[in-house]
């Protein structure tokens, strides 16, 4: 028996080629569960054709991954590269499966702009299980594998041979199923962003290497000719004070001001506000929409721009107004770098904050203090305050509202939304709109109190909308051309005090007649300049939503 044991040959370690091929196949099959689930829902393919197409697509993905891994199949780089791809596949699988999102460049940018508090909200047992299921066993197998290193020239030759074979398989398989492949990808372009982990790899390259729309050079100044035009109305000697509230994840369809059957705006409905009902966002994520909405370019021109420029806030400050940015979220994405700004999310005021999060009302608590810090001379001309909300930021909607505002019950208490009863999820989201309603009504109350010194106004507009389980989609961030309307249609609400109406010449009654006019974020830059009486060659009257109601 002892002799038999000693004569047993040792277990043979896999070669580097076997590690590359098996890792590529594993990633193609088990790293793309969300993709296969989406393919099964398509009416384009059925029966045996669906199975053949799925197998061919898996072979195409495995071939591309083999090419990628062959490029880094060296002694010190292959295992780390496989590790990165497996972990990317595991995390992406969780988010694509749980929320039906896709992974593209804007989504990756959004993730990089997420702070630690928002990132922790994404943690869940389901995330851990998904990442472990996709990555744990192959990671163990890869790292316990060893192979005899070859001289560099032999290793290079082997890598090139493997690349060539993989490319031949890729071309042959693509040619065999090209009609179905072209049709499916043309009719369902979102699927290309679910090919895992190539979607993440492409997004990283798009951010760092790929230069087709490279924006070079220093930040360009904007509106260098901007100046204020004096108002002649003697009754409006008080300088203007405009508060621009940038909402978060507030879709238009859940505001009762816009016809939603639930009373989500009980307080604003008592104010003389105008809710614009057909407003389209610049993008479906904060990272896309926020800089776009403060730009004069409009969505299409902004997305194809070749340089970065200053924004609306710079133009307002250059014209002579005092400008302040207050942020209760993860930051201003560089938009407020050249103006006074404060982040209120870390203030930890006992009356406004709990469990590490501050309600949006913390900005109101600090408003007077921060205004007093502004330079006194520009304040005599007028003030523009920008408030960036936490608003309805998901997926932990239940954390956005204090107990007193949980009007709709029961509400979803999970971070992973798909297991929640859909009505409970809607309840949690609608409660965030109720709290935003309270925040805006309190802000209007504060503005009314300032009328002895200023002509006051408020304009609220959300950055993007949200999916709440419609067609099994959750959250936001789908590419704009394929995103559902609920991710693109946003709430926008205006309030003008009587003194601001006189100062600006804009009538609230007239604006109410414009509430169903199709608008977009493209109008924001020009509308704010117009209503604040700032002249510059950057201003376009056709994009000013107030100009039709302005007395001349």
């Amino acid at each position: 028996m002892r002799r038999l044991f000693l004569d047993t040959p040792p277990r043979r370690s896999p070669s580097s080629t076997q590690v590359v091929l098996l890792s590529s196949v594993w990633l193609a099959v088990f790293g793309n569960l969300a993709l296969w689930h989406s393919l099964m829902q398509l009416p384009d393919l059925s029966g045996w054709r669906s199975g053949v197409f799925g197998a061919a697509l898996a072979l195409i993905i495995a071939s591309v991954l083999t090419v990628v891994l062959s490029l880094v199949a060296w002694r010190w780089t292959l295992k780390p590269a496989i590790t990165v791809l497996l972990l990317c596949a595991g995390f992406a699988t969780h988010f694509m499966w749980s929320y039906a999102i896709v992974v593209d460049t804007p989504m990756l940018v959004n993730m990089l702009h997420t702070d630690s508090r928002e990132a922790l909200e994404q943690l869940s047992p389901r995330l851990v299980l998904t990442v472990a299921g996709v990555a744990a066993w192959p990671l163990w197998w890869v790292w316990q594998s060893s192979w005899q290193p070859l001289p560099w020239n032999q290793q290079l030759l082997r890598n090139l041979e493997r690349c060539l074979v993989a490319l031949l398989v890729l071309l042959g398989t693509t040619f065999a199923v090209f009609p179905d492949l072209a049709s499916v990808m043309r009719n369902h372009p979102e699927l290309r962003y679910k090919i895992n982990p190539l979607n993440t790899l492409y997004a990283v390259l798009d951010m760092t290497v790929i230069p087709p729309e490279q924006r070079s050079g220093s930040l360009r100044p904007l509106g260098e000719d901007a100046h204020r035009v004096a108002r002649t109305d003697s009754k409006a000697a008080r300088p203007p004070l405009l508060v621009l509230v940038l909402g978060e994840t507030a879709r238009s369809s859940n505001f009762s001001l816009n016809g939603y059957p639930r009373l989500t705006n009980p307080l604003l409905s008592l104010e003389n506000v105008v809710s614009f009902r057909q407003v389209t966002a610049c993008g479906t994520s904060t990272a896309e929409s926020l800089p776009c909405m403060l730009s004069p370019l409009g969505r299409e021109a902004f997305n194809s721009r070749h340089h970065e420029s200053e924004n609306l806030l710079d133009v307002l400050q250059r014209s002579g107004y005092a400008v302040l940015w207050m942020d209760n979220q993860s930051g201003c994405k560089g938009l407020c770098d050249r103006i006074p700004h404060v982040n209120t999310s870390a203030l930890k005021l006992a009356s406004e904050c709990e469990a590490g999060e501050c309600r949006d009302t913390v900005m109101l608590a600090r408003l007077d203090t921060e205004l007093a810090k502004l330079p006194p001379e520009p304040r005599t001309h007028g003030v523009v305050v920008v408030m960036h909300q936490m608003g309805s930021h998901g997926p932990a909607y239940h954390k956005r509202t204090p107990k007193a505002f949980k009007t709709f019950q029961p509400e979803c208490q999970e971070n992973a939304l798909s297991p929640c009863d859909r009505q409970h999820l809607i309840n949690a989201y609608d409660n965030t709109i109720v709290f935003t309603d309270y925040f805006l009504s309190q802000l209007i109350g504060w503005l009314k109190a300032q009328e002895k010194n200023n002509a006051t106004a408020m304009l609220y507009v959300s950055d993007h909308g949200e999916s709440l389980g419609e067609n099994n989609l959750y959250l936001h961030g789908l590419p704009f051309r394929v995103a559902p309307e609920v991710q693109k249609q946003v709430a926008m609400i205006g309030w003008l005090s009587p003194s601001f109406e006189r100062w600006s010449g804009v009538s609230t009654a007239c604006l109410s007649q414009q509430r169903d006019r199709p608008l977009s974020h493209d109008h924001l830059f020009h509308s704010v300049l117009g209503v604040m009486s700032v002249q510059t060659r950057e201003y376009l009257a056709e994009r000013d939503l107030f100009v039709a109601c302005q007395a001349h």
Side-chain angles (χ1 to χ4, degrees), residues 207-228:
M207 291 175 57
T208 57
V209 177
I210 301 174
E213 293 181 359
Q214 187 175 13
R215 293 162 199 135
S216 57
S218 58
L219 190 74
R220 292 193 180 183
L222 188 68
E224 291 183 294
D225 62 333
H227 61 280
R228 293 171 293 103

Side-chain angles (χ1 to χ4, degrees), residues 1-23:
M1 174 69 84
R2 183 173 179 270
R3 179 179 177 82
L4 178 65
F5 178 77
L6 291 174
D7 289 345
T8 302
R11 184 173 64 84
R12 184 181 176 186
S13 293
S15 66
S16 61
T17 295
Q18 289 174 318
V19 171
V20 168
L21 294 178
L22 291 174
S23 298

Side-chain angles (χ1 to χ4, degrees), residues 71 80 108 110 117 121 145 152 154 246 257 267 338 350 354 364 369 393 509 521 552:
L71 296 175
L108 191 61
N110 241 21
R117 177 186 57 179
E121 288 182 358
S145 299
W152 74 268
Q154 294 182 32
L246 303 180
L257 288 172
L267 299 174
R338 295 165 299 280
E354 60 178 319
L364 293 175
T369 300
H393 196 290
H521 281 166
H552 298 286

Side-chain angles (χ1 to χ4, degrees), residues 393-404:
H393 196 290
Y397 306 117
H398 64 284
K399 292 184 178 180
R400 307 288 92 90
T401 52
K403 292 180 181 179

Side-chain angles (χ1 to χ4, degrees), residues 271-292:
E271 300 288 351
N272 187 28
V273 299
V274 179
S275 183
F276 301 94
R277 298 180 175 183
Q278 297 188 54
V279 182
T280 303
C282 267
T284 60
S285 68
T286 303
E288 282 183 296
S289 284
L290 211 57
C292 177

Side-chain angles (χ1 to χ4, degrees), residues 282-472:
C282 267
T284 60
S285 68
T286 303
E288 282 183 296
S289 284
L290 211 57
C292 177
M293 64 202 295
L294 298 183
S295 163
L297 298 176
R299 185 178 68 85
E300 293 185 5
F302 184 83
N303 289 337
S304 61
R305 70 199 186 281
H306 296 288
H307 61 267
E308 298 292 356
S309 299
E310 293 178 341
N311 60 75
L312 171 64
L313 310 182
D314 298 293
V315 178
L316 289 168
Q317 182 169 258
R318 184 168 286 125
S319 72
Y321 286 121
V323 184
L324 169 67
W325 179 288
M326 304 188 75
D327 204 294
N328 195 42
Q329 218 195 109
S330 56
C332 68
K333 322 301 182 190
L335 298 170
C336 64
D337 289 352
R338 295 165 299 280
I339 65 167
H341 55 274
V342 59
N343 192 306
T344 61
S345 63
L347 290 178
K348 297 182 175 58
L349 297 181
S351 60
E352 304 294 341
C353 310
E354 60 178 319
E357 178 167 325
C358 294
R359 312 295 183 202
D360 288 327
T361 45
V362 71
M363 292 186 286
L364 293 175
R366 290 287 298 186
L367 185 51
D368 289 315
T369 300
E370 298 302 327
L371 284 176
K373 298 178 183 178
L374 295 177
E377 198 275 332
R379 287 175 60 190
T380 63
H381 303 306
V383 179
V384 178
V385 179
V386 182
M387 292 183 163
H388 186 202
Q389 277 188 283
M390 176 59 80
S392 302
H393 196 290
Y397 306 117
H398 64 284
K399 292 184 178 180
R400 307 288 92 90
T401 52
K403 292 180 181 179
F405 292 88
K406 295 187 181 297
T407 305
F408 304 106
Q409 292 288 344
E411 66 173 9
C412 173
Q413 298 281 327
E414 301 293 331
N415 292 350
L417 302 180
S418 53
C420 275
D421 179 273
R422 183 159 180 263
Q423 190 55 57
H424 298 174
L425 172 62
I426 293 172
N427 288 345
Y429 181 82
D430 283 350
N431 288 335
T432 68
I433 304 300
V434 172
F435 188 67
T436 289
D437 175 82
Y438 171 76
F439 167 70
L440 294 178
S441 69
Q442 292 292 106
L443 174 57
I444 290 173
W446 180 87
L447 287 169
K448 289 178 178 177
Q450 310 308 308
E451 278 207 272
K452 58 182 180 294
N453 297 315
N454 296 94
T456 58
M458 178 204 75
L459 182 62
Y460 164 87
V461 59
S462 182
D463 57 353
H464 54 76
E466 189 86 326
S467 285
L468 298 174
E470 300 90 353
N471 299 315
N472 292 316

Side-chain angles (χ1 to χ4, degrees), residues 6-208:
L6 291 174
D7 289 345
T8 302
R11 184 173 64 84
R12 184 181 176 186
S13 293
S15 66
S16 61
T17 295
Q18 289 174 318
V19 171
V20 168
L21 294 178
L22 291 174
S23 298
S24 298
V25 171
W26 178 277
L27 283 164
V29 176
F30 297 101
N32 281 281
L33 297 177
L35 174 64
W36 309 136
H37 179 262
S38 296
L39 282 175
M40 290 172 60
Q41 312 302 315
L42 298 183
D44 308 54
L45 300 169
S46 60
W48 66 269
R49 286 182 64 217
S50 176
V52 171
F53 179 80
L57 184 56
L59 186 56
I60 289 171
I61 297 170
S63 299
V64 176
L65 288 168
T66 299
V67 172
V68 171
L69 289 176
S70 293
L71 296 175
V72 293
W74 302 88
R75 182 179 182 184
W76 303 110
T77 56
L78 181 56
K79 289 182 179 180
I82 294 174
T83 300
V84 170
L85 291 181
L86 284 167
L87 291 176
C88 286
F91 281 98
T93 294
H94 167 75
F95 290 111
M96 290 193 294
W97 188 275
S98 297
Y99 305 124
I101 64 170
V102 299
V103 178
D104 60 355
T105 305
M107 182 62 71
L108 191 61
V109 171
N110 241 21
M111 291 171 59
L112 294 175
H113 281 269
T114 298
D115 61 23
S116 58
R117 177 186 57 179
E118 294 173 1
L120 289 173
E121 288 182 358
Q122 305 289 345
L123 296 180
S124 67
R126 189 171 181 173
L127 170 62
V128 175
L129 289 174
T130 303
V131 174
V134 171
W137 183 83
L139 276 176
W140 172 84
W141 178 76
V142 167
W143 282 97
Q144 64 84 39
S145 299
S146 61
W147 54 87
Q148 186 66 31
L150 298 174
W152 74 268
N153 55 338
Q154 294 182 32
Q155 186 65 60
L156 177 61
L157 180 62
R158 180 164 297 182
N159 291 353
L160 292 175
E161 289 174 346
R162 195 186 303 119
C163 273
L164 179 60
V165 173
L167 285 171
L168 291 174
V169 173
L170 170 64
L171 292 173
T173 309
T174 302
F175 180 78
V177 296
F178 185 76
D180 282 339
L181 182 65
S183 174
V184 168
M185 292 303 171
R186 182 176 61 251
N187 296 331
H188 307 281
E190 72 279 5
L191 291 179
R192 70 189 68 174
Y193 303 110
K194 290 191 175 184
I195 299 175
N196 208 11
L198 298 175
N199 47 7
T200 304
L201 184 62
Y202 178 82
V204 171
L205 292 174
D206 190 33
M207 291 175 57
T208 57

